[in-house]
Amino acid sequence: MRELRDPIHGFIYPEIVPEIIDTPAFQRLRSIRQLALASLVYPGAKHSRFEHSLGVMHLAGRIGRRFKLAPEDLRALCLAALLHDVGHGPFSHVSEDIVDRFYDKNKVVLERGQKVHEIITQGLIKTDEDLRKYLSDYDVNRVNGILGGTGGYRLLSDIISGPLDCDKQDYLLRDSYYCGVKYGIYDIDRLIDELEAVESDGDRILAVSRDGIHTLEQFALAKYYMTTQVYKHKVRLVTDAMITRAIELGIEKDRLSFLEELYRYDGSEDFLRNWVKWDDEALVAAICTGKDRGSAYQIFNALRQRRLHKQIYSQKIASGVFKARTRMALSENFTAVAKYIEIEVGRLIGSEDPNLIIANKFTIKSVREQSRNEKEAPIMVAGPGGLTLFEDESMLFCSIAASEEDEYLEVYAPPPPEFSDEVQKKKLRAKWAIEITEIVEQIVKNYLSNKGGTCDDGFRGLPGNVETCSGNDKGQDPGA
Amino acid sequence: MLKHAQGTIRGKTLVHKRAYFLNFLCNLGLEYIPHYYGPFSPELEAAIGRGRALGFVREETVDYGPHRQLGFEVRRFDCALTDDGHVVVEDLVKRKPEECRKALACLDELARAGDDSYVALSIAAKTHHILRTVGQPLTRTQIVAQASKLNWQVSEEDINGAVEFLKRLELVKVDKT
């Protein structure tokens, strides 16, 4: 039997359709890094979606065998685990945000809560010629049903993409290992031993036994610490924002046709055939070795040389710094004001190119909220009296009354010369902190007043010379 | 909802259950999944959390001391609008007058139907969820049986009260044949 040695789980035996691993679509994952350019912060973080997918398959198999799943269910579960990331684009989650923004809205209609990258994954599983050599129609329907959370495979979906899923189980340990940090470590063996398949509504759901509560606390804390220390590390946020901006400018300003073709999902099989040709290396090579020396090239070249933007402003949106209406507008309509913040901040700091200023909003959930994500139901604990909430059962988590999240507004820019001197840098940052806050207040005020009583129909002008509105947000595009 | 309730709702469960019915009466489009304490909207839970995080909603804990049989502290989490919360709600009323008027009218309708008890609302939500999901008329016994499958413990007497509430909202019809 084929075996693969993995630093996290030891030997992995891909006993179910091992041929899938050798398909070009799956091998492509070797060149899509799990954490994009996190290696610019943590040099070891060069692991890829390839080994992560194998790890998830290994864990899903362990859990499936523990629950004594029927052979056809175990097969579907392992295939779904192996293929759950097959639709990832270059630089993983960065591509998700971009394709969600640039897809052809006339040809593709999303259902509520649906994301384009999820459709791409399911589309590849359904149509990729090499994958289909090993997947029957029945396999495809079951795997896509599990990944999409439809089709009545609740337990199997919970194992792949629920609050206790083996995706998180793998990436916390793997990312921790490759980043060289200890934040993501928890007792995986104990956690798996304490997972239970519990009857609910004629279906089975994934829960944890009472004896597993402490391990689960460790798991939730691991997720919290990895989020604050790795996934939302300030330099990582900067590099992700730079990649995103480079690709956006490549499409909108440099008019690089290969980028537009890559990210303008139109629901066709041609798109999918092109999508699987691209990975991190191919994208960097195309941008950095092409004839065009525009904005995308400039930014990617800076990333290659680790000439990174610096965070010049960081403010917790909920802090008392912003007025109530500003907090609301930043939280709900950041997309509509981001470009104007960038333009005005560009003027403030004397930037030659306002396109290089990046306004970014992100969220960090409290440790209590880390035990589940927005789309997921709460974690359930199975006890003699039935199911109860993990947050109520855990002494640690029930003692944390606040279940909040923090939203941050940050601005990144190429470092001005003054930043080479620490004293000057501190002075400048302190000065800009006040001035940028005033800019944000003014822009939101203008935005709300120019709306003529509505917040949904775009921006209609600011004092000054704002002429363009291409936006740099991760949601809707005010200029499109 | 908090504006309609003069700024405070006593108990987060009551917030969730009122929102459940507001969702149907106003067609807000929230998705509900069956959970052990009834139909649950992760989207609503996240919105409450965001309101708190932004300083618009304050959660106040009311302690009732230890429960004699269960041995743990009994608490109620009240939700209240902060001063800033009042500001953004008034702003919302100005920006979206029609939607707000409709929501307040629906909340009036809920209040007339009797929406003060979170226990009664919770059973009514479970009953309504079961009837919607099954998609065909059910007897009280069948509703109790369906509830049991979802690990929801309700009696036929509970269902009687829930059905009366749902009838007042015209969310169910009772066929006596």
Side-chain angles (χ1 to χ4, degrees):
Chain A
M1 185 189 291
R2 185 174 180 175
E3 58 189 21
L4 300 148
R5 194 186 279 272
D6 179 66
I8 308 302
H9 305 299
F11 283 109
I12 290 177
Y13 302 96
E15 65 230 74
I16 293 166
V17 201
E19 298 87 350
I20 284 181
I21 294 168
D22 296 324
T23 59
F26 193 81
Q27 286 292 322
R28 180 184 72 107
L29 298 180
R30 284 183 188 275
S31 297
I32 295 181
R33 287 195 196 161
Q34 180 77 9
L35 297 176
L37 290 181
S39 60
L40 293 175
V41 188
Y42 299 103
K46 292 188 171 178
H47 55 305
S48 73
R49 294 271 152 192
F50 179 83
E51 53 260 44
H52 164 64
S53 298
L54 290 169
V56 176
M57 179 201 65
H58 169 77
L59 292 173
R62 266 183 79 179
I63 296 168
R65 278 186 286 274
R66 191 168 168 274
F67 290 159
K68 297 185 170 50
L69 293 180
E72 66 271 24
D73 287 341
L74 187 63
R75 175 185 168 89
L77 178 71
C78 289
L79 286 173
L82 188 65
L83 295 170
H84 79 286
D85 274 351
V86 79
H88 267 269
F91 299 106
S92 295
H93 295 295
V94 173
S95 276
E96 289 177 8
D97 294 334
I98 297 170
V99 82
D100 278 339
R101 179 175 165 193
F102 287 102
Y103 74 93
D104 188 335
K105 279 118 189 137
N106 295 321
K107 292 184 179 168
V108 179
V109 179
L110 299 180
E111 289 171 20
R112 188 184 173 89
Q114 198 174 27
K115 296 280 186 186
V116 179
H117 68 268
E118 294 167 357
I119 307 177
I120 292 174
T121 299
Q122 294 183 20
L124 278 175
I125 292 169
K126 192 174 175 184
T127 63
D128 184 84
E129 287 168 14
D130 297 301
L131 289 175
R132 288 308 309 264
K133 285 177 191 164
Y134 310 105
L135 297 175
S136 66
D137 288 344
Y138 177 75
D139 286 333
V140 168
N141 287 336
R142 291 216 70 189
V143 168
N144 282 343
I146 292 168
L147 295 179
T150 57
Y153 314 117
R154 175 71 190 272
L155 175 64
L156 307 188
S157 290
D158 280 358
I159 294 171
I160 302 296
S161 59
L164 295 167
D165 62 37
C166 41
D167 187 18
K168 285 185 210 75
Q169 288 173 23
D170 183 82
Y171 74 61
L172 288 174
L173 294 173
R174 192 172 299 280
D175 294 344
S176 197
Y177 175 86
Y178 282 100
C179 288
V181 301
K182 309 291 181 200
Y183 300 114
I185 295 169
Y186 64 94
D187 191 342
I188 176 79
D189 297 322
R190 179 70 168 167
L191 182 64
I192 289 180
D193 279 352
E194 298 304 334
L195 291 177
E196 291 196 10
V198 183
E199 289 291 331
S200 178
D201 191 21
D203 208 343
R204 291 204 293 170
I205 65 166
L206 190 64
V208 72
S209 75
R210 275 176 196 277
D211 289 344
I213 286 174
H214 296 302
T215 314
L216 189 50
E217 288 170 350
Q218 205 186 13
F219 179 70
L221 286 171
K223 193 176 162 213
Y224 175 73
Y225 289 130
M226 284 300 282
T227 301
T228 57
Q229 301 302 311
V230 176
Y231 306 137
K232 303 281 168 128
H233 186 286
K234 64 179 181 181
V235 178
R236 181 153 191 269
L237 291 172
V238 168
T239 56
D240 275 5
M242 287 176 72
I243 302 169
T244 305
R245 177 55 53 91
I247 296 172
E248 286 170 348
L249 290 173
I251 295 171
E252 293 180 329
K253 188 163 170 268
D254 304 340
R255 300 280 172 199
L256 298 176
S257 56
F258 68 86
L259 279 182
E260 184 163 1
E261 275 170 39
L262 177 59
Y263 286 107
R264 197 164 183 80
Y265 175 66
D266 58 3
S268 71
E269 288 187 29
D270 282 347
F271 174 93
L272 297 173
R273 275 192 283 273
N274 182 51
W275 184 255
V276 290
K277 290 178 186 163
W278 291 91
D279 55 37
D280 297 5
E281 291 162 15
L283 192 74
V284 173
I287 291 174
C288 291
T289 62
K291 286 178 185 169
D292 191 284
R293 288 290 184 265
S295 299
Y297 168 82
Q298 299 297 337
I299 297 175
F300 264 103
N301 208 32
L303 283 166
R304 287 170 80 197
Q305 296 167 9
R306 206 185 182 280
R307 287 185 288 110
L308 304 181
H309 282 30
K310 298 289 179 199
Q311 177 206 84
I312 63 167
Y313 177 80
S314 178
Q315 190 59 256
K316 198 192 278 191
I317 292 174
S319 69
V321 167
F322 295 116
K323 291 175 185 163
R325 294 173 84 218
T326 307
R327 296 205 294 274
M328 187 69 179
L330 288 174
S331 182
E332 298 270 305
N333 294 77
F334 180 71
T335 304
V337 295
K339 195 72 207 167
Y340 300 96
I341 293 172
E342 291 168 1
I343 291 168
E344 292 302 320
V345 170
R347 280 190 189 137
L348 173 76
I349 69 170
S351 170
E352 290 171 9
D353 184 357
N355 285 314
L356 297 180
I357 312 296
I358 303 172
N360 186 32
K361 188 190 83 166
F362 64 94
T363 303
I364 294 184
K365 292 182 178 179
S366 74
V367 64
R368 189 177 160 121
E369 290 298 290
Q370 290 292 328
S371 63
R372 61 169 186 242
N373 73 37
E374 206 166 294
K375 279 188 174 177
E376 295 166 349
I379 297 175
M380 304 311 295
V381 175
L387 293 170
T388 48
L389 272 178
F390 164 63
E391 292 151 60
D392 293 340
E393 290 294 328
S394 159
M395 288 297 285
L396 178 64
F397 278 68
C398 79
S399 65
I400 304 168
S403 52
E404 292 182 355
E405 59 185 29
D406 281 330
E407 286 184 311
Y408 292 84
L409 169 62
E410 294 193 340
V411 180
Y412 314 130
E418 294 91 329
F419 267 42
S420 55
D421 180 303
E422 276 302 314
V423 177
Q424 287 297 317
K425 181 178 164 183
K426 275 185 186 168
K427 275 187 188 172
L428 206 51
R429 276 182 58 104
K431 178 173 167 279
W432 285 347
I434 297 166
E435 291 171 336
I436 294 175
T437 299
E438 285 171 1
I439 285 173
V440 172
E441 285 285 0
Q442 188 60 43
I443 284 172
V444 170
K445 190 178 168 191
N446 290 348
Y447 166 73
L448 290 173
S449 62
N450 284 344
K451 299 289 291 180
T454 158
C455 244
D456 298 328
D457 56 357
F459 189 84
R460 295 201 192 98
L462 276 169
N465 299 320
V466 176
E467 288 169 354
T468 57
C469 180
S470 57
N472 184 54
D473 48 87
K474 291 176 180 171
Q476 65 215 114
D477 171 17
Chain B
M1 281 170 55
L2 286 169
K3 176 184 165 64
H4 184 268
Q6 315 302 322
T8 304
I9 295 180
R10 298 169 68 175
K12 205 163 87 171
T13 310
L14 189 56
V15 177
H16 270 276
K17 299 311 166 195
R18 274 190 192 158
Y20 175 85
F21 288 106
L22 186 65
N23 181 44
F24 284 98
L25 294 174
C26 286
N27 198 19
L28 300 178
L30 290 177
E31 267 183 53
Y32 277 83
I33 52 173
H35 231 280
Y36 90 113
Y37 41 69
F40 172 81
S41 164
E43 217 175 330
L44 175 69
E45 177 69 7
I48 295 171
R50 199 148 55 95
R52 248 190 334 259
L54 289 168
F56 303 147
V57 175
R58 187 174 55 242
E59 202 170 74
E60 292 163 348
T61 309
V62 181
D63 284 319
Y64 289 97
H67 188 287
R68 282 186 188 174
Q69 273 114 37
L70 302 175
F72 58 76
E73 290 277 324
V74 179
R75 288 177 187 160
R76 190 184 73 208
F77 295 99
D78 290 353
C79 288
L81 273 181
T82 61
D83 289 346
D84 281 351
H86 280 287
V87 170
V88 295
V89 167
E90 290 312 317
D91 195 46
L92 194 66
V93 171
K94 279 184 201 158
R95 289 193 288 112
K96 305 205 171 185
E98 190 49 35
E99 286 98 320
C100 290
R101 190 201 58 72
K102 195 176 162 194
L104 291 170
C106 288
L107 288 165
D108 282 341
E109 197 182 336
L110 266 175
R112 279 195 297 275
D115 71 345
D116 279 346
S117 161
Y118 75 87
V119 177
L121 277 185
S122 176
I123 296 164
K126 288 170 183 166
T127 306
H128 182 250
H129 182 85
I130 289 167
L131 288 168
R132 278 191 73 245
T133 313
V134 173
Q136 62 183 50
L138 296 175
T139 65
R140 285 162 176 75
T141 312
Q142 287 170 326
I143 294 172
V144 170
Q146 286 289 332
S148 175
K149 283 187 190 173
L150 294 160
N151 290 311
W152 295 342
Q153 306 306 316
V154 290
S155 66
E156 287 193 33
E157 201 180 344
D158 291 333
I159 302 294
N160 282 336
V163 168
E164 287 308 311
F165 175 79
L166 295 172
K167 269 165 62 183
R168 288 195 287 275
L169 290 175
E170 297 180 357
L171 288 172
V172 295
K173 282 187 291 186
V174 177
D175 182 354
K176 295 198 172 166
T177 60

